[in-house]
Amino acid sequence: MDKLEELAKEQEKLSEETQKSKEPQEDLKEKQEAIDKQFQEFKEQIEQIEKKNEQLENQKDLGNPQEEMKDIQRDINESKMNLQQNKNNKASQSQKDASQKMKNMANNMNMKMQSGQMEQMMEDMQALRQLLENLVGLSFDQEDLVKNLDKTEINTPRYTELVEEQFKLKDDFRLVEDSLQALAKRVFQIESFVTGKVSDIKENMRLSLDDLEERRKFQAADHQQRAMTNINDLALMLSEVMNQMQQQMSMKMSGSQMCNKPNNSGQPQDKMSEGQQKLNGEMRQMQGQMQQGDNPSSKEFAQMAARQAALRKALEEKQRKMREQGKGSKELQELIDQMDKVEIDLVNKRMTNDMLKRHQDILNRLLEHEKAERQQEYDEKRKSETAQEIQRRMPPELEEYIRKRKAEIEQYKTVSPALKPYYKSLVEDYFKSLKGNAAPSR
């Protein structure tokens, strides 16, 4: 994709040079040949990608790159032919068309790449959420078992039942272990952490069962507690990974879903309520399709979740700026929290009436907030004006006195008696004191 964008820029630049026709014809032909050669290399790379894709069990949707490349190659060939015939205007147009088609193809590749990444992240997030729920449930079951064992005598039938429950928890963890090991192989950054925690959990569960069978209840409780702590550590790690994935999904589509740049008036170019209203309509339409038995794909849910996340990010940025100015809004924070809940529902493919009602409430409150902002903007405000400086003149009599006084002082200064340095400095101090109306220094 980067290579194609680079070729598009070179082709566009060559189109401008051909239009101006300031270079010798042979130079233009050589440059077009160089671009054509690079495009042939690009085509070979695409063909290799298609062959690798055919070998995948779950093949990716690559679109129809061969047809797009044929159109581009046709324009390149036409430009070369027109250059041979000294038809620079036609050659320039063909080069321009080739450049535009390269940009379009690169854009299509980018969209498919983002869509594929979004769908994969959606599937990964669902798997992580299920794994997290299993770990949390396992942790709670282990905690309940420890409490029940603490108040159960070792020589009762109830004690035997609780030991059997510990065996069951050990078997349940085997199912979770397989998912954890598969996750660790895919994400090498957490492989050592997951492997270590899984090993500790299995060892402590084994030791707790040995102690329980030997009626060592207190020692067993210690191992159970250690196993539960390691399970909680894994759950916390998975929760952090999920939060990072949600942020990445939000960032991937925040730039394309809404424009948050200020215009001359300092207001957002696209109101958040308009984006929220459009999303609301699409969600209701999706609910209608689901009621008719037409279930939306994971990709559609992921795109909606990303758009909701983009709106939430914009609102968080607005709240941050208001707080910097000491104008933080509790209402905006509540809206942000509500948007986050809607986003989680979409990630989990939940399209319920309660969720739609919450979404409608978000829209209504956004509209009320924007209306209040407009009213505040149009409120009459007192305008501050800079005071005009008025020059005040002295009375003529005072001006005449000051003028004569300065003349006398200047006359005294013209006399330069032969004085010693000490007395000379006293005279200078005296003249200074006359000007400043201060007593002379002694």
Side-chain angles (χ1 to χ4, degrees):
M1 185 177 64
D2 294 337
K3 181 64 176 177
L4 192 58
E5 289 177 348
E6 181 182 345
L7 279 175
K9 291 179 181 178
E10 292 181 11
Q11 187 68 81
E12 186 177 13
K13 183 180 178 182
L14 181 59
S15 174
E16 295 174 356
E17 293 175 358
T18 304
Q19 183 69 32
K20 295 175 183 178
S21 299
K22 291 183 178 180
E23 296 187 3
Q25 204 74 12
E26 290 300 323
D27 291 344
L28 298 175
K29 293 177 184 178
E30 290 177 3
K31 290 182 179 180
Q32 185 62 76
E33 286 290 346
I35 293 175
D36 189 13
K37 183 179 179 181
Q38 294 181 67
F39 186 67
Q40 298 304 321
E41 295 174 357
F42 169 79
K43 288 168 65 176
E44 291 177 1
Q45 292 177 352
I46 291 294
E47 290 172 359
Q48 292 175 4
I49 291 173
E50 288 182 316
K51 290 179 181 178
K52 291 181 179 179
N53 188 46
E54 291 174 358
Q55 298 172 3
L56 295 176
E57 183 177 352
N58 298 319
Q59 296 183 9
K60 306 298 181 183
D61 180 17
L62 300 180
N64 193 7
Q66 292 296 336
E67 193 64 30
E68 292 178 295
M69 290 190 297
K70 283 181 182 178
D71 290 341
I72 296 171
Q73 187 65 59
R74 190 181 301 113
D75 289 327
I76 291 176
N77 292 338
E78 287 180 2
S79 68
K80 290 165 64 177
M81 181 182 64
N82 289 322
L83 285 173
Q84 290 286 351
Q85 298 173 1
N86 295 327
K87 298 178 181 178
N88 284 15
N89 289 335
K90 290 185 177 181
S92 176
Q93 184 60 45
S94 298
Q95 291 165 347
K96 188 175 181 181
D97 292 342
S99 173
Q100 185 60 48
K101 289 176 182 178
M102 288 177 183
K103 292 178 181 178
N104 293 340
M105 185 177 179
N107 186 48
N108 291 337
M109 292 172 68
N110 183 35
M111 291 177 64
K112 288 187 180 297
M113 182 183 69
Q114 289 186 356
S115 177
Q117 289 176 346
M118 191 71 67
E119 190 171 358
Q120 184 63 50
M121 288 179 68
M122 186 75 177
E123 294 175 0
D124 292 345
M125 191 176 295
Q126 289 175 346
L128 281 176
R129 185 175 293 278
Q130 185 61 50
L131 184 56
L132 178 60
E133 290 176 358
N134 293 339
L135 281 173
V136 171
L138 194 63
S139 176
F140 279 121
D141 291 342
Q142 184 68 76
E143 185 178 11
D144 292 339
L145 183 58
V146 171
K147 291 179 181 178
N148 291 331
L149 278 169
D150 184 53
K151 55 187 179 183
T152 303
E153 297 295 332
I154 60 176
N155 296 321
T156 60
R158 176 60 177 160
Y159 181 84
T160 305
E161 293 176 358
L162 293 176
V163 175
E164 292 177 356
E165 288 185 15
Q166 184 63 63
F167 272 106
K168 183 179 181 301
L169 288 179
K170 182 181 178 182
D171 293 337
D172 290 342
F173 181 72
R174 288 178 182 173
L175 302 176
V176 179
E177 179 188 358
D178 294 337
S179 300
L180 285 169
Q181 296 291 3
L183 175 66
K185 290 179 181 179
R186 290 178 58 185
V187 187
F188 69 90
Q189 293 93 336
I190 63 173
E191 183 175 6
S192 60
F193 177 83
V194 171
T195 303
K197 291 295 179 182
V198 168
S199 178
D200 290 342
I201 293 169
K202 290 171 63 178
E203 180 67 13
N204 281 289
M205 282 190 170
R206 184 186 66 79
L207 293 173
S208 68
L209 283 169
D210 292 343
D211 290 331
L212 288 173
E213 290 177 340
E214 296 295 330
R215 298 296 196 271
R216 296 192 294 264
K217 188 171 68 172
F218 296 106
Q219 291 89 332
D222 178 65
H223 292 300
Q224 289 170 327
Q225 188 69 43
R226 292 175 184 274
M228 186 170 58
T229 300
N230 287 313
I231 291 173
N232 291 339
D233 290 342
L234 282 173
L236 180 61
M237 183 272 295
L238 292 180
S239 178
E240 293 175 351
V241 171
M242 283 187 60
N243 289 334
Q244 292 177 1
M245 290 179 67
Q246 286 180 336
Q247 292 176 3
Q248 290 175 3
M249 289 178 66
S250 302
M251 293 172 63
K252 277 185 180 296
M253 294 193 68
S254 61
S256 59
Q257 294 302 326
M258 68 177 299
C259 177
N260 219 19
K261 295 180 181 179
N263 55 17
N264 294 336
S265 62
Q267 297 295 329
Q269 292 179 356
D270 293 337
K271 297 179 181 178
M272 281 177 282
S273 62
E274 293 177 0
Q276 197 75 29
Q277 190 170 13
K278 185 177 180 182
L279 186 59
N280 192 338
E282 293 177 1
M283 289 169 61
R284 292 189 179 280
Q285 184 178 359
M286 180 180 287
Q287 187 191 39
Q289 294 175 355
M290 294 175 67
Q291 291 174 350
Q292 296 175 3
D294 184 12
N295 292 326
S297 64
S298 299
K299 177 181 175 181
E300 292 176 302
F301 275 103
Q303 289 176 342
M304 282 195 172
R307 290 170 61 186
Q308 183 62 79
L311 291 165
R312 174 177 56 81
K313 287 283 186 182
L315 203 60
E316 287 176 346
E317 180 65 17
K318 183 176 182 180
Q319 174 78 323
R320 184 186 65 79
K321 291 181 179 179
M322 291 179 65
R323 282 176 177 170
E324 289 177 355
Q325 300 172 359
K327 301 177 182 178
S329 172
K330 182 180 178 181
E331 182 182 3
L332 281 184
Q333 187 59 48
E334 292 176 355
L335 283 174
I336 292 170
D337 296 338
Q338 290 295 321
M339 286 181 174
D340 187 57
K341 292 179 181 178
V342 171
E343 185 182 337
I344 293 174
D345 287 336
L346 289 171
V347 167
N348 291 306
K349 295 184 179 180
R350 289 197 294 261
M351 188 67 68
T352 62
N353 290 328
D354 291 338
M355 192 265 277
L356 290 174
K357 184 178 179 182
R358 188 187 308 121
H359 201 270
Q360 183 64 42
D361 181 60
I362 292 172
L363 175 60
N364 294 336
R365 294 175 69 178
L366 269 177
L367 291 170
E368 291 175 1
H369 181 75
E370 290 177 357
K371 181 179 178 181
E373 281 189 332
R374 286 195 299 269
Q375 290 177 348
Q376 184 177 4
E377 182 182 355
Y378 292 125
D379 281 347
E380 291 186 1
K381 298 180 180 179
R382 294 172 61 185
K383 295 183 179 179
S384 61
E385 295 181 356
T386 305
Q388 295 181 353
E389 186 176 353
I390 301 175
Q391 186 175 3
R392 303 184 66 180
R393 296 181 60 83
M394 290 185 182
E397 296 82 1
L398 183 57
E399 285 185 352
E400 181 65 18
Y401 171 76
I402 293 175
R403 186 182 63 77
K404 292 180 178 180
R405 185 65 175 169
K406 285 182 178 180
E408 291 177 358
I409 293 174
E410 292 298 326
Q411 186 178 5
Y412 293 145
K413 290 178 68 175
T414 55
V415 179
S416 180
L419 299 174
K420 292 182 179 181
Y422 172 73
Y423 294 104
K424 188 174 183 179
S425 65
L426 289 179
V427 171
E428 290 176 355
D429 289 344
Y430 175 73
F431 284 132
K432 289 179 182 178
S433 67
L434 291 177
K435 288 185 176 181
N437 293 324
S441 58
R442 302 177 67 86

